Structure formats: structure tokens, C-alpha cells
Amino acid sequence: MKGWENNSDFMVKKEIVSAANLKKEIEEAKVELTSQNKKLKLSVKTEAKKKVNKKKAVTKKKVDKKKAVTKKKVDKKKALAKKKADKKKAVAKKKAEAKKKVDKKKAAAKEKVDKKKAEAKKKAEAKKKEEEAKKKEEEAKKKEEEAKITQEEIWEEQLTEEEIIGFQIDKTDMDKLVNRVTEMIAGYETKGILQNILWRKLKLSSRDGSRLALKLERLGNITREKILENGRWTYLLLIKKIPISTKSIENAPCLVCPVEGKCSTDGEISPKSCVYIEDWVLTELKTKKVMKLIDAKKDHYRKLAHEQGYRSRASYKLKELNKSYRIIGAGHFVLDLGCAPGGWMQVATKIVGNKGKVMGIDSSYVEEIPGTFILRASINDNNIIEEIFDFFVKKVNTVICDLSPQVTGNWSVDHASQISLNYSAVKIMEQVLEKKGNSLFKVFDGEFSNEFYHYMKKKFLRVKLTKPKASRKPSSELYCICLGYLG
Ligand SMILES: C[S@@+](CC[C@H](N)C(=O)[O-])C[C@H]1O[C@@H](n2cnc3c(N)ncnc32)[C@H](O)[C@@H]1O
């Protein structure tokens, strides 16, 4: 090797070698560096990856935690909802069970009702059949009765006119009896009286009474109307002619006539041409019931009442007044004071209908009116209020009052007693009429009518005195309409 050190080639060669070595070293260093670089890069990457993973793990942990919390919440909610739903289900179940029970009960009740209904229907049908049979039986009885001849008819067949007119009761002044009975019948005016009631009042046997009625009819004093009363034929006695009593000729001019001895029907001095008799007769007739009867017979409303089955012409007064003032309405509870023979009750019953109630009070007998209650009593009787409440149970909507006293013919007396009856009726009204209720009072017009009108004005919202068309023109009766009781 020392030979090579002086040689330039050698030197170059040496330099080349060292350069090659250097190159080799550089390359090796390069490799080493690359490797180290690679390693470093790898370690940085690994580190970064580690960091990322760590971050990821932390995030995941967080997310998982959140998820767990959320899941817990959701589960809690779900559990709550489930609990609620279960509770709801339980309630619904309970309800359904309760409903089932109620339905069962309802079904049982319905079954009971249906059973009852069926029984009631059966009963009603049986009752209907029974009623129909009864009706048929009654009709047959009625036909049979109608075919029956009364004792009076037998007498009429058997007795001569003389025997009928000459009828005499032992030890009795027949003229006096005829006058008395005729006057009594006249007292019942156009209503008439049932003969058996009259005979009871007179304490006459029904045989004597019936013969007497025949006699009165033949004398032209009365008429007899054959009627079926409680399944038996009897007669309603109606006045035809007022008897001539000594009282009725009290003021006759003949009693004090100086030429009475010379008076004869065909003579120069005769009752036919006597002006005193004419004056007296005219004055008497004006005040006598005969006049009233003549009027009554011609009367349009009386005829109408007869045709339409109303018991009195008074029915038309109430009909007319109610049409204008609506005193009575459907469903009303109505009290009728002084109701005989029942004309107003017939009208009231029709107006109130099925839901209403009608009660009548009169001291006279009133034949039954279906669907009503009739009390035979004086309005001054003590227990009258109790009787009224017994029937109605509560206060009434309307009080109607057509009270009339037994008229004497003296107007001031009759007027005073009629107004006095009205004040008694008002006392009843005050206890039984409901607030805002209505009333109707007949008033015999006279000096006290105005006082009565003002008395009523204090008690009602609206009060009016009026005279219906159906009231006879010459009659001095007015009607006091009272609406809206102030209580
Ligand atoms: C004109 S009538 C009534 C008519 C009746 N509104 C009708 O439509 O048929 C008068 C009635 O008052 C009756 N009366 C008079 N005073 C009476 C009293 N104190 N108590 C009960 N009724 C009485 C009479 O008996 C008579 O029947």
C-alpha cells in the first residue's frame, strides 16, 4: 500500500474510493435518516392515532354516557307511560265491569218493567173487556129501563082526568098544598127539582107525591120531564104557571072596589074593561116570575143550552167571558162557588182538560159531572177550606163565583144579600187562590157594587166590571173579572 501513496493514480483512486465510501456513508446515512424519519413519522402517526383514539374513546365514553342517560330517561318515560296505560286499562276494565253490572241491572229492571207492563196491559185489557161488558149490560139495562113504564104512566093510563085533578090526600087542604108545592117548584126556576127530593122535603110518600105531580101538571102549573137518575126513571118538575095565592091579590083593586057588587064578566062594569084592574095587572106582571118565565122560554141561550147539553144558560156567560179574558186555562185547578146546577162546571171541565181539576160547591143538590168533585155545602160552613185542600192538595189557579141568594123580589134586599155572599166567597178565595191567579164574581148591580169593585181592585192587578151578551138585558147582573191575584 505505501507504493500507492506516491502515485497520483493511486491518490485519485484513493480519493475515488474515499468519495465512494463517502457516498456510501451518505447513502447509508440517508437510509438511516429515511428509516429514522420513517420511524419518527410512524411514531408521530402512532401518537396522533393514539391521541385520536383516546379522543374517540373519551367522546365515545361521553356519547355512551349520554346514550345511557337518555336511555334511562326513555326507559323511565316508557315505564311511566306503561304504568299510566296499565292504570288506564285497569280503570277501563273497572268501568267496563261496572257498566256490565249496570247493564245487567238495567236489563233486569227492564225485564221487570216489561213484565209489569205486560201485566198492566193484560189487566187493562181485562178491565176494558169488563168495562165493555158492564157498558153492554148497562145499555141493556137502560134499554130495558127505557122500555119500562113508570107508575105515573100506569096511573095516567088507568085514571080518568077527573080522578087525576081531583086527587085528594086525607085530611089535607089540597088547594093550600097545591099552591105551596107550586111555589116551591117555582123557586127552582128553570133548573127544576127532582120529584123525590121535593117529596122528601115535604115529607110526602112517593105515591102521594107522584099523584100530586100529575095533578099539578093537569092543572097546568108545572111540566114533568121524565129522566133516568141513577138507573131509575123519575121526573124533573119544572114550573109552568105561578099559583094564584091570596098574597098575589093583596093589592088587587077589586078588594076595595065600591062597585064590586055590580061587576060581572058580561056586565057594564066588568073586569074586562076595568082600567084599575089593567093597571094593577101590568104592574104586578112586571115584578112577577111569570114574566121571567115567559122571557126564559123565548130565550135563545136557554134553547141552546138544552140542545148542547149544558145544564144552564149561565154556561154561555162563562164561555163568552173566558174567550175575552182567559180567566180559566188548560190544566187549571178551578173552584166554582155556587155551582148548581153545574153549567159553569161543565164549561170549566172542558177548558181545563185532563191535567186540570174542577171542584164545585153549592148548598143545593147538583147531579154528578164526570171528572169533577161536587160538595154539597154552604160556603159559610166551617170546614170548607179543609175540604177544598183535601181535593186540590195545593192552591187553585182560578176561583169562579156565581152565587145568588134566594131572591125576594125586593131588589135592594136581593142586591145586598148577593154582595154579602160575594164577600164570604172572597174570604175563601183569599185562602185558596195562588198568587197571580184569576177570579170571576157575579155582582147584582146596586148601591154596593162599586164598593165591591174597588175592594177587588186592591187585590188584583186588573179588575173589570162587564156584562156578557149571554146575560139577559133586563137582568141587573154584572160580572167582575179579576186577573193576577196579588196575594
Ligand atoms: C145562579 S146559580 C149558579 C149557576 C151556576 N153557575 C151554573 O152555571 O149552573 C147560584 C147558586 O148559588 C147557590 N148558593 C146561594 N147561596 C149559597 C151558599 N151560601 N152556599 C152555597 N151555595 C149557595 C145557589 O144554591 C145557586 O145554586
Side-chain angles (χ1 to χ4, degrees):
M1 272 292 247
K2 270 190 176 174
W4 292 85
E5 277 173 19
N6 297 329
N7 192 315
S8 63
D9 277 348
F10 177 69
M11 280 303 281
V12 170
K13 274 185 184 175
K14 206 182 168 187
E15 274 205 15
I16 288 168
V17 169
S18 71
N21 281 340
L22 194 64
K23 201 182 168 187
K24 203 180 168 185
E25 267 173 35
I26 285 169
E27 268 169 10
E28 276 172 2
K30 252 186 183 176
V31 169
E32 177 71 14
L33 200 67
T34 309
S35 146
Q36 270 182 9
N37 221 2
K38 260 185 187 171
K39 270 184 190 167
L40 194 68
K41 264 186 185 170
L42 196 70
S43 104
V44 168
K45 255 188 187 174
T46 314
E47 210 46 43
K49 204 182 171 188
K50 255 185 186 171
K51 264 187 188 174
V52 166
N53 283 345
K54 205 178 171 183
K55 241 187 187 175
K56 267 187 187 171
V58 169
T59 312
K60 193 180 172 292
K61 214 176 174 182
K62 267 187 191 173
V63 168
D64 286 350
K65 205 178 170 184
K66 244 187 186 173
K67 267 187 188 171
V69 170
T70 311
K71 194 179 174 286
K72 218 176 176 182
K73 271 188 190 170
V74 168
D75 287 351
K76 206 175 168 183
K77 260 190 189 171
K78 267 187 190 170
L80 256 169
K82 194 180 173 293
K83 212 174 170 184
K84 258 191 192 174
D86 287 350
K87 210 174 167 184
K88 247 189 186 175
K89 264 186 199 168
V91 169
K93 200 181 165 189
K94 244 186 187 176
K95 264 190 189 171
E97 274 165 6
K99 197 181 172 285
K100 222 176 174 180
K101 266 187 192 172
V102 169
D103 286 350
K104 208 175 164 184
K105 261 189 188 172
K106 268 189 191 169
K110 196 182 170 294
E111 204 176 313
K112 255 190 192 176
V113 169
D114 287 350
K115 210 174 161 185
K116 263 191 184 169
K117 267 189 193 169
E119 274 168 16
K121 201 179 164 192
K122 238 184 186 177
K123 264 189 194 172
E125 274 168 4
K127 205 176 164 205
K128 204 177 164 190
K129 267 187 191 166
E130 202 180 294
E131 274 171 1
E132 273 170 6
K134 213 173 157 190
K135 209 174 159 189
K136 267 187 190 165
E137 198 182 304
E138 270 168 11
E139 271 167 12
K141 227 176 171 182
K142 204 174 162 189
K143 270 190 187 161
E144 196 183 307
E145 273 297 335
E146 274 166 4
K148 259 190 200 167
I149 300 171
T150 62
Q151 182 57 51
E152 286 84 344
E153 282 165 338
I154 296 172
W155 283 330
E156 276 182 293
E157 275 282 306
Q158 291 174 350
L159 299 172
T160 62
E161 283 301 293
E162 286 77 40
E163 281 170 326
I164 291 175
I165 291 176
F167 171 63
Q168 174 73 44
I169 301 173
D170 249 7
K171 296 175 197 155
T172 308
D173 180 342
M174 285 309 276
D175 286 344
K176 225 171 162 186
L177 183 63
V178 162
N179 278 345
R180 187 171 163 223
V181 175
T182 312
E183 268 171 3
M184 279 178 87
I185 297 170
Y188 293 91
E189 300 185 350
T190 50
K191 285 187 288 183
I193 179 164
L194 288 173
Q195 64 172 12
N196 49 323
I197 294 173
L198 188 59
W199 309 148
R200 231 178 286 142
K201 282 189 184 190
L202 287 161
K203 295 198 171 62
L204 280 177
S205 70
S206 71
R207 183 190 161 81
D208 284 348
S210 303
R211 288 285 309 267
L212 183 60
L214 267 176
K215 178 178 172 125
L216 290 172
E217 191 184 51
R218 289 299 192 277
L219 288 171
N221 293 7
I222 64 163
T223 54
R224 295 177 310 138
E225 235 174 63
K226 190 178 169 186
I227 58 167
L228 199 58
E229 172 79 2
N230 298 330
R232 290 191 64 190
W233 282 109
T234 183
Y235 288 89
L236 183 71
L237 309 181
L238 293 145
I239 190 64
K240 194 171 170 192
K241 192 171 85 183
I242 295 293
I244 308 291
S245 69
T246 50
K247 210 177 167 200
S248 67
I249 54 164
E250 247 168 23
N251 301 318
C254 314
L255 301 176
V256 289
C257 179
V259 289
E260 197 259 346
K262 292 178 188 166
C263 182
S264 69
T265 37
D266 305 319
E268 201 180 313
I269 299 167
S270 160
K272 284 183 188 167
S273 55
C274 178
V275 288
Y276 300 107
I277 291 183
E278 195 179 317
D279 278 354
W280 169 72
V281 169
L282 283 176
T283 335
E284 284 294 296
L285 278 181
K286 267 185 201 160
T287 56
K288 289 294 177 197
K289 286 171 184 166
V290 171
M291 205 60 188
K292 275 198 197 166
L293 276 164
I294 294 165
D295 284 350
K297 283 204 171 156
K298 284 187 205 151
D299 186 85
H300 160 70
Y301 287 104
R302 185 172 180 269
K303 275 189 200 152
L304 209 60
H306 189 74
E307 282 164 18
Q308 297 185 340
Y310 284 112
R311 295 186 184 176
S312 67
R313 64 188 306 292
S315 303
Y316 296 95
K317 299 179 201 170
L318 180 61
K319 271 188 162 198
E320 194 184 323
L321 291 171
N322 204 58
K323 203 170 167 195
S324 309
Y325 300 98
R326 303 218 170 275
I327 308 153
I328 306 171
H332 272 190
F333 281 20
V334 180
L335 175 67
D336 184 357
L337 300 173
C339 64
W344 276 20
M345 285 188 81
Q346 288 178 300
V347 174
T349 311
K350 276 191 190 162
I351 300 171
V352 301
N354 286 343
K355 288 183 183 160
K357 266 179 150 186
V358 179
M359 172 181 180
I361 301 176
D362 203 293
S363 43
S364 295
Y365 166 79
V366 184
E367 201 181 310
E368 196 188 324
I369 297 172
T372 70
F373 173 54
I374 297 160
L375 177 70
R376 188 168 183 183
S378 162
I379 56 154
N380 296 314
D381 283 357
N382 287 336
N383 57 344
I384 217 88
I385 301 293
E386 209 180 304
E387 295 271 10
I388 294 168
F389 278 115
D390 271 355
F391 176 65
F392 288 112
V393 186
K394 59 174 195 151
K395 289 200 169 185
V396 302
N397 308 97
T398 316
V399 174
I400 50 178
C401 173
D402 197 19
L403 285 160
S404 296
Q406 279 277 18
V407 286
T408 64
N410 180 330
W411 184 251
S412 346
V413 174
D414 294 340
H415 159 67
S417 25
Q418 201 275 331
I419 294 282
S420 156
L421 277 174
N422 275 359
Y423 280 113
S424 303
V426 170
K427 269 191 201 156
I428 296 177
M429 181 209 82
E430 283 174 332
Q431 293 177 73
V432 304
L433 183 64
E434 67 160 22
K435 219 171 164 182
K436 293 186 184 165
N438 302 329
S439 264
L440 172 65
F441 286 84
K442 178 171 66 194
V443 177
F444 276 10
D445 195 20
E447 61 173 310
F448 303 116
S449 343
N450 213 26
E451 195 180 302
F452 181 72
Y453 167 72
H454 285 289
Y455 182 69
M456 298 310 281
K457 263 195 115 173
K458 285 186 202 144
K459 299 184 186 299
F460 285 85
L461 212 61
R462 227 180 116 202
V463 176
K464 192 181 158 96
L465 269 177
T466 184
K467 186 173 177 73
K469 271 191 234 138
S471 174
R472 285 197 192 100
K473 292 246 159 61
S475 122
S476 295
E477 66 182 18
L478 295 174
Y479 284 86
C480 186
I481 290 125
C482 311
L483 306 174
Y485 183 47
L486 300 172

